Amino acid sequence: MLNTPVALIAFRRPQFTERVLQAIGRVQPRTMLVFADGPRPGNAGDIEACRATRALVDGLDWDCEVLKQYSDVNLGCGRGPATAIDWIFSQVPEAIILEDDCLPDPSFFHFCEEMLERYRNDERVMHIGGSTYQRGTLPVPYSYFFSCFNGAWGWATWRRAWKFFDLSVKRWPLLRDTTWLTDILEDKKAVGIWAKEFAEAYNRGGEVGYWDHQWTFACWANSGLSVRPNRNLVSNIGCCENATNTLSAADPRANLPAGEMTFPLIHPPMVLQNRELDRRFLKEVVFAFAGGAESRRRRLLQVISRWAPASAKEAYRGLISSFRPT
């Protein structure tokens, strides 16, 4: 059995949640934490879908402690996961965290568990990621490397790191006009991408449809590094028309194969950022996504989620999911 607590953040997609729970069941964690968001107002289909998703948790077939936190109201894609993770670390000091569309290879759990133990007291390390968002094995002679980028499609961290998280990034004005982002990212275009996300979260008091950029802010503002594996250990199976932020299976990050980590792990000799691989990540993943149709779909969806009447949202979603650049 796995000693490290595993947390699942779910909503209304039982078909994906069932597959992720099956993957978790293969390693049988002693402690499971489950947070489920509530149905969206005006969306009758959510009520049954949320009920079916939660019912899956009652069918766990191994002996473990199960802690549940179910929301009666819909908190959304920003405040929902942030609230979930706050609750998780009010219960346990460290955890492996999965959302309901992140399907891990079994080795992902053991990789995270070993990393959580090894860097538990090393405050330079704030995040352990399971996704590379790239195919194949990365050109590094170790099992993992240290990066400034985190990524939340299967990850782990400690309460000691999450305490710096702030959904509304109140410290953004203190850093906005400095060279802070340039020093981290070394690229003007990349600076513009993250500055926009931080500014939006700050200007709207955290009421945005994302939380992961604010977690990145917390890590960067505290000079935190992320452990990233040399191969992708988690596959995102939720990139489809009823997703919230990633609307299409054409997203280049969708359904990337989850590989198996080789043990025993080969550890880097020093805790230093691999800038070469981070530059490659910017070019092959960040810029490819930020400049493509998926980015425009995501922005359009955020607009309709905030402003469109409930009765029209599903129709708008269909239009956006079929959008193709000309």
Side-chain angles (χ1 to χ4, degrees):
M1 297 186 76
L2 192 77
N3 291 317
T4 303
V6 173
L8 175 66
I9 302 173
F11 176 31
R12 62 177 180 98
R13 297 191 285 180
Q15 72 276 28
F16 297 144
T17 303
E18 183 175 24
R19 293 179 64 186
V20 175
L21 283 173
Q22 288 172 350
I24 295 171
R26 293 175 68 181
V27 297
Q28 299 190 353
R30 297 180 186 276
T31 303
M32 274 285 299
L33 301 98
V34 182
F35 180 95
D37 203 0
R40 295 167 296 178
N43 193 317
D46 279 5
I47 297 174
E48 174 57 26
C50 288
R51 186 207 62 78
T53 300
R54 297 175 184 189
L56 292 169
V57 178
D58 297 329
L60 298 184
D61 59 359
W62 72 92
D63 184 22
C64 66
E65 178 186 26
V66 181
L67 306 176
K68 304 175 187 177
Q69 182 82 343
Y70 295 163
S71 178
D72 294 328
V73 299
N74 183 261
L75 299 173
C77 294
R79 192 163 297 280
T83 301
I85 302 166
D86 283 344
W87 169 71
I88 290 164
F89 289 115
S90 74
Q91 304 296 312
V92 295
E94 57 192 48
I96 299 168
I97 302 171
L98 290 161
E99 295 191 46
D100 59 7
D101 56 1
C102 296
L103 187 64
D105 182 85
S107 63
F108 160 77
F109 297 98
H110 302 293
F111 172 72
C112 287
E113 183 165 76
E114 186 167 340
M115 294 295 94
L116 284 167
E117 180 179 1
R118 185 177 182 89
Y119 297 106
R120 182 174 292 143
N121 300 313
D122 190 336
E123 296 191 359
R124 294 172 296 179
V125 182
M126 293 182 66
H127 179 100
I128 299 157
S131 298
T132 64
Y133 308 97
Q134 295 159 285
R135 294 183 181 275
T137 302
L138 298 178
V140 59
Y142 313 110
S143 301
Y144 60 94
F145 63 99
F146 296 98
S147 170
C148 74
F149 300 111
N150 39 43
W153 289 359
W155 61 292
T157 193
W158 306 264
R159 179 190 291 156
R160 62 141 174 101
W162 184 255
K163 70 180 180 182
F164 295 108
F165 177 82
D166 172 22
L167 191 63
S168 60
V169 289
K170 289 186 287 290
R171 290 191 289 169
W172 168 239
L174 300 176
L175 296 167
R176 179 180 52 209
D177 300 322
T178 71
T179 62
W180 171 67
L181 273 180
T182 302
D183 294 342
I184 294 170
L185 296 169
E186 304 179 316
D187 184 280
K188 184 177 180 179
K189 182 178 179 181
V191 168
I193 291 170
W194 269 278
K196 183 177 182 179
E197 302 290 358
F198 297 156
E200 183 178 15
Y202 174 78
N203 292 334
R204 293 176 54 184
E207 295 301 326
V208 290
Y210 53 85
W211 62 273
D212 48 344
H213 291 299
Q214 297 94 311
W215 174 229
T216 297
F217 181 91
C219 292
W220 289 354
N222 292 279
S223 301
L225 292 171
S226 300
V227 169
R228 301 188 68 195
N230 65 0
R231 66 198 68 188
N232 201 57
L233 303 178
V234 181
S235 179
N236 189 298
I237 59 174
C239 296
C240 56
E241 279 64 30
N242 71 342
T244 300
N245 284 329
T246 47
L247 294 180
S248 171
D251 185 325
R253 305 165 302 165
N255 297 304
L256 287 176
E260 181 179 1
M261 177 59 73
T262 301
F263 294 90
L265 297 179
I266 302 173
H267 301 283
M270 295 174 286
V271 181
L272 292 173
Q273 178 189 357
N274 189 319
R275 291 187 177 271
E276 181 179 352
L277 286 183
D278 278 357
R279 293 186 189 108
R280 173 175 169 171
F281 178 77
L282 276 177
K283 179 181 178 181
E284 297 183 4
V285 179
V286 175
F287 294 158
F289 175 68
E294 276 304 320
S295 179
R296 292 189 287 279
R297 289 190 187 94
R298 187 166 70 103
R299 290 297 179 188
L300 285 168
L301 187 68
Q302 288 173 350
V303 170
I304 70 162
S305 294
R306 182 169 173 80
W307 298 111
S311 60
K313 284 183 179 179
E314 289 304 314
Y316 285 138
R317 289 177 65 84
L319 288 173
I320 292 171
S321 64
S322 63
F323 168 76
R324 294 293 183 272
T326 58

